[in-house]
């Protein structure tokens, strides 16, 4: 039987893969559009169109780099490991919600419960880091408790 953590991990991988594919597709379309620009009698219109396309490609490259970082983080997670303290790859059930410490994505519904994949570097991820079941933490001025870690 596939665990909740494995399902969440698969949803995160699927989300990242879709984002990578979408960005690469947009890059190809933008590159093709820039290549199809032809010199017009206006002269500057051609250069402006190419410059705008180049700026768009640079922006997409930055987005792609971020998504590739997220994929690299996922590649370091083994969803079959059971954790007793909160760290990347953990599921943290808290009084504030259910979190999967991995990448920022979602939220996802698994077995009729909502889970929020969050980055370990996010403010809530940092507040939860190293906590165990029964520990208290404060996030945005609100006290909360870790109920379960897996």
């Amino acid at each position: 039987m596939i665990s909740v953590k494995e399902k969440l991990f698969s949803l995160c991988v699927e989300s990242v893969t879709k984002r990578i594919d979408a960005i690469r597709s947009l890059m190809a379309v933008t590159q093709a559009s820039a290549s199809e620009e032809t010199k017009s009698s206006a002269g500057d219109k051609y250069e402006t169109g190419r410059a705008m396309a180049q700026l768009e490609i640079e922006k997409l490259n930055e987005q792609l780099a971020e998504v590739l970082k997220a994929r690299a983080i996922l590649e370091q997670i083994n969803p079959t490991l059971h954790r007793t303290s909160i760290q990347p790859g953990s599921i943290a059930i808290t009084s504030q919600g259910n979190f999967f410490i991995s990448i920022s994505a979602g939220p996802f519904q698994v077995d009729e419960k909502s889970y929020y994949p969050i980055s370990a570097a996010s403010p809530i991820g940092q507040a939860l880091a190293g906590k165990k079941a029964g520990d208290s933490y404060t996030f945005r001025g609100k006290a909360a408790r870790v109920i379960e870690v897996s």
Side-chain angles (χ1 to χ4, degrees):
M1 186 166 103
I2 299 174
S3 71
V4 169
K5 190 185 301 186
E6 289 171 296
K7 290 176 185 176
L8 287 168
F9 181 78
S10 292
L11 288 167
C12 287
V13 168
E14 182 182 319
S15 173
V16 165
T17 302
K18 284 180 180 177
R19 286 168 49 198
I20 289 170
D21 291 346
I23 291 169
R24 287 186 172 152
S25 177
L26 278 172
M27 289 173 80
V29 167
T30 305
Q31 187 64 51
S33 165
S35 298
E36 289 172 8
E37 285 282 337
T38 57
K39 277 236 186 217
S40 68
S41 59
D44 285 345
K45 180 181 173 199
Y46 167 76
E47 291 302 324
T48 302
R50 288 185 61 92
M52 288 177 65
Q54 187 57 41
L55 287 173
E56 184 65 21
I57 289 169
E58 288 172 16
K59 186 172 87 174
L60 291 169
N61 269 323
E62 290 173 14
Q63 290 175 10
L64 181 61
E66 287 301 311
V67 179
L68 290 174
K69 283 181 195 174
R71 184 172 71 182
I73 290 168
L74 287 173
E75 288 171 352
Q76 296 174 9
I77 292 175
N78 180 346
T80 62
L81 292 179
H82 180 77
R83 312 276 186 188
T84 56
S85 66
I86 299 173
Q87 56 191 291
S90 298
I91 291 180
I93 309 299
T94 75
S95 58
Q96 290 185 321
N98 305 323
F99 302 99
F100 178 46
I101 315 303
S102 55
I103 62 168
S104 295
F108 298 125
Q109 286 285 125
V110 175
D111 297 342
E112 299 179 20
K113 286 186 181 176
S114 289
Y115 292 87
Y116 299 89
I118 59 169
S119 166
S122 69
I124 184 73
Q126 291 176 346
L128 290 169
K131 301 285 190 261
K132 297 180 180 186
D135 287 353
S136 295
Y137 67 96
T138 303
F139 180 65
R140 293 190 177 155
K142 292 183 181 178
R145 191 171 61 82
V146 176
I147 299 165
E148 182 183 334
V149 176
S150 63

